[in-house]
């Protein structure tokens, strides 16, 4: 069973780069190699820390941003729908950019985009400027998000599991930290929501430094420093014919990915506001959102390992869904009285994300199939997730309360469990596509 987990971890790290090589890197000088490896680790950790603060820091200060910019509830809902839209649109560009310029250079540019977007969006002027600055930051997040597993695979082919865990932990910590400290940080910086949001550009700027050094460093593995020389050879490699849209499992996994992403972005964009409207202070509401986000740190290690040991991942899907339903019921019945319990339950439910990535690796036999299934599931899933946060904003504004939005969130959990059970069946997309 250990071999199954190793195969899954290796497969999922090729997501976004179907041409990634599994061969070890050419040997380089020991001292140079050690220095470079440490630099890559620093770059991975700093990048992971910056892949969610642009979203969760806004969720913590959404009410202040709405008041400051004169946003309606519908426009605020549109703002919370921007992340999945950007991930769907810009994420598909990442593999082609990486083949042309090299993954490190693209991630470096992504960190620059995040820094610039975070810095300018509070000050660029009005709601359109805020949306444009947010889109710039999210574009950087999208390409970096796709390419980070590729970099892990190329530099650490024998430590994929541990480095992926480190990356996942950094992502969850960055998410939780932004939710927890944005409000008090804004209060410290002159009680200004603009300063509280822009301050995260400092962390993003720090992440640029190691990638600049790696781009300048010529002894990158797998020929990364000379992508133009490598690309023609890779482009001539035969690609298997796999009509992914003929697979029912692929569709089930895409819908499952989309519905769990819908729940995650609604949570990041609106949960703090739900607690604030229930009488919870802004600082405590940010901490509650942080609790929800930080649950991803331990469970990102546990859930994939458990999933690879089960022939059917449906029981995990159902368990996570029941936690979500219990959390939404609590938000409806007693949002303030049981706030910490609801935050904990929704944090567990949101860990459907690492489960979805694990199932991507388990539902295909080949590396090329994993890459194609991942691209299909993620791009389709993010498109599915776009209307959710916007619809929550519209329902909130039209009804004047959170009853209908919470009912929508709970209602979406039912089909999420159904398609998750279908996606968790022990079969491969290659077999299903060939049978049609």
């Amino acid at each position: 069973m250990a071999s199954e987990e190793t195969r899954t971890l290796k497969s999922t790290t090729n997501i976004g780069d179907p041409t990634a090589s599994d061969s070890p890197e050419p040997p380089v000088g020991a001292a140079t190699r050690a220095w470079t490896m440490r630099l890559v680790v620093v770059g991975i950790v700093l990048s992971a820390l910056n892949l969610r603060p642009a979203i969760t820091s806004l969720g913590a200060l959404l009410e202040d941003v709405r008041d400051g910019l004169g946003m309606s509830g519908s426009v605020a809902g549109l703002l919370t729908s921007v992340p999945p839209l950007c991930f769907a649109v810009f994420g598909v560009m990442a593999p082609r950019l990486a083949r042309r310029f090299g993954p490190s250079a693209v991630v470096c540019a992504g960190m620059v985009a995040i820094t610039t977007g975070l810095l300018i969006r509070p000050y660029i002027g009005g709601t359109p400027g805020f949306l444009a600055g947010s889109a710039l930051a999210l574009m950087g997040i999208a390409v970096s998000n796709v390419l980070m597993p590729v970099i892990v695979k190329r530099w650490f082919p024998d430590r994929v599991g541990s480095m992926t865990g480190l990356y996942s932990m950094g992502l969850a910590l960055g998410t939780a930290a932004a939710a927890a400290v944005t409000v008090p940080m804004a209060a410290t910086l002159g009680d200004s929501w603009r300063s509280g949001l822009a301050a995260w550009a400092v962390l993003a700027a720090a992440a640029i430094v190691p990638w600049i050094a790696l781009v300048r460093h010529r002894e990158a593995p797998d020929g990364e420093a000379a992508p133009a020389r490598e690309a023609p050879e890779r482009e001539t490699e035969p690609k298997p014919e796999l009509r992914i849209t003929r697979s029912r499992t692929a569709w089930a996994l895409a819908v499952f990915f989309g519905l769990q992403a819908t729940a995650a972005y609604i949570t990041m964009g609106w949960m703090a506001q739900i607690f604030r409207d229930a009488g919870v202070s802004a600082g405590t509401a940010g901490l509650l959102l942080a609790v929800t986000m930080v649950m991803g740190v331990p469970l990102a290690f546990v859930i994939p390992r458990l999933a690879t040991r089960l022939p059917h991942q449906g029981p995990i899907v159902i368990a996570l869904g029941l936690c979500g339903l219990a959390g939404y019921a609590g938000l409806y019945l007693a949002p303030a009285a049981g706030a910490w319990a609801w935050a904990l339950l929704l944090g567990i439910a949101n860990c459907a994300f690492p489960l979805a990535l694990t199932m991507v690796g388990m539902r295909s036999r080949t590396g090329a199939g994993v890459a194609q299934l991942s691209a299909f599931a993620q791009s389709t899933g993010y498109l599915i997730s776009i209307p959710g946060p916007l619809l929550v904003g519209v329902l909130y504004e039209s009804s004047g309360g959170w009853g209908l939005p919470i009912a929508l969130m709970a209602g979406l959990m039912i089909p999420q469990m159904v398609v998750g059970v279908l996606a968790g069946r022990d079969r491969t997309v290659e077999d299903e596509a060939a049978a049609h």
Side-chain angles (χ1 to χ4, degrees), residues 248-347:
R248 294 180 180 178
T249 296
W251 280 106
L253 189 53
V255 177
F256 177 70
F257 193 96
L259 291 175
Q260 67 80 27
T262 299
Y265 287 110
I266 290 174
T267 298
M268 284 187 281
W270 290 107
M271 198 178 82
Q273 189 64 49
I274 293 174
F275 285 126
R276 291 182 69 172
D277 287 352
V280 178
S281 68
T284 303
L287 288 174
L288 288 165
L289 180 58
V291 168
T292 300
M293 298 297 105
V294 83
M295 288 302 299
V297 177
L299 292 182
F301 288 97
V302 174
I303 288 177
R305 286 164 172 78
L306 178 60
T308 57
R309 285 165 170 77
L310 295 176
H312 193 308
Q313 290 72 51
I316 305 177
V317 171
I318 293 173
L320 296 177
L322 290 176
C323 288
L325 289 174
Y328 291 134
L331 279 182
Y332 181 81
L333 297 172
W340 295 100
W342 318 143
L344 185 67
L345 286 168
L346 291 174

Side-chain angles (χ1 to χ4, degrees), residues 54-134:
I55 303 169
T56 49
S57 62
L58 177 59
L61 290 172
L62 185 58
E63 182 177 348
D64 304 272
V65 174
R66 286 180 58 189
D67 293 342
L69 297 178
M71 286 185 186
S72 65
S74 299
V75 174
L78 175 63
L79 187 60
T80 58
S81 297
V82 169
L85 175 63
C86 289
F87 290 168
V89 172
F90 297 120
V92 297
M93 300 165 50
R96 180 173 295 182
L97 291 172
R99 286 193 295 269
R100 181 175 178 83
F101 302 104
S104 293
V106 178
V107 172
C108 182
M111 293 299 114
V112 172
I114 295 171
T115 303
T116 306
L118 289 175
L119 188 61
I120 67 173
R121 72 174 179 175
Y123 304 106
I124 197 171
T127 299
F130 193 92
L131 288 169
S134 296

